[in-house]
């Protein structure tokens, strides 16, 4: 079973007013989705974001954004450089691949020798 994890790729402290409590301490975080499996580690191109107030701990959804928050978000959105989409195979994958190739090679050898 693959496990998914959101990895923070950029954090920014912004000083816009919170729509809930009018505090000026907001945190903008961009996340990238990583998938872990016993056979591979995959970095996807899915980038998500979250704006959270540091005082009332409420998440500010795009419906409640003010024009100032939208401008700041678009600025930081341009600065975000997500990790390249890649897939890395684990040692278990390579070990199973090596065993499979050895079994196939043994089967072909035994077939040509007439043992099978």
């Amino acid at each position: 079973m693959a496990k998914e994890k959101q990895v923070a790729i950029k954090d920014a402290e912004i000083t816009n007013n919170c729509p809930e409590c009018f505090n000026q301490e907001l945190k903008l975080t961009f996340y990238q989705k990583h998938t872990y499996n016993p056979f591979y580690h995959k970095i996807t191109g899915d980038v998500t974001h979250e704006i959270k107030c540091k005082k009332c701990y409420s998440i500010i959804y795009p419906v409640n954004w003010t024009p100032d928050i939208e401008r700041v978000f678009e600025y930081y959105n341009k600065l975000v450089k997500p990790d390249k989409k890649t897939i890395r195979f684990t040692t278990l994958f390579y070990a199973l691949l090596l065993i499979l190739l050895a079994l196939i090679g043994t089967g072909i050898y035994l077939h040509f020798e007439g043992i099978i």
Side-chain angles (χ1 to χ4, degrees):
M1 177 73 87
K3 294 181 182 179
E4 294 180 355
K5 184 178 177 184
Q6 297 287 343
V7 177
I9 55 174
K10 181 152 183 81
D11 287 330
E13 304 291 330
I14 57 178
T15 57
N16 295 71
N17 290 334
C18 172
E20 303 292 326
C21 67
F22 303 107
N23 187 27
Q24 287 191 343
E25 295 180 13
L26 299 176
K27 183 176 184 179
L28 171 62
T29 307
F30 290 93
Y31 298 99
Q32 188 170 16
K33 183 174 152 187
H34 290 225
T35 305
Y36 297 95
N37 192 319
F39 300 109
Y40 64 86
H41 171 210
K42 183 177 181 181
I43 300 174
T44 63
D46 299 337
V47 177
T48 58
H49 61 275
E50 178 181 78
I51 298 178
K52 187 179 263 190
C53 179
K54 293 174 82 177
K55 184 178 180 186
C56 65
Y57 300 107
S58 62
I59 296 174
I60 289 81
Y61 294 103
V63 174
N64 296 333
W65 288 0
T66 62
D68 293 334
I69 293 175
E70 287 181 23
R71 277 194 300 272
V72 170
F73 171 77
E74 289 188 20
Y75 171 75
Y76 281 107
N77 195 23
K78 290 178 185 177
L79 294 179
V80 171
K81 301 286 186 216
D83 295 335
K84 204 164 103 175
K85 292 194 286 187
T86 58
I87 185 167
R88 290 186 214 136
F89 296 105
T90 62
T91 308
L92 177 63
F93 173 80
Y94 289 118
L96 290 176
L97 182 65
L98 185 63
I99 291 170
L100 180 66
L101 289 175
L103 288 174
I104 291 172
T106 304
I108 291 173
Y109 174 75
L110 293 176
H111 178 69
F112 283 135
E113 290 295 318
I115 297 173
I116 295 181

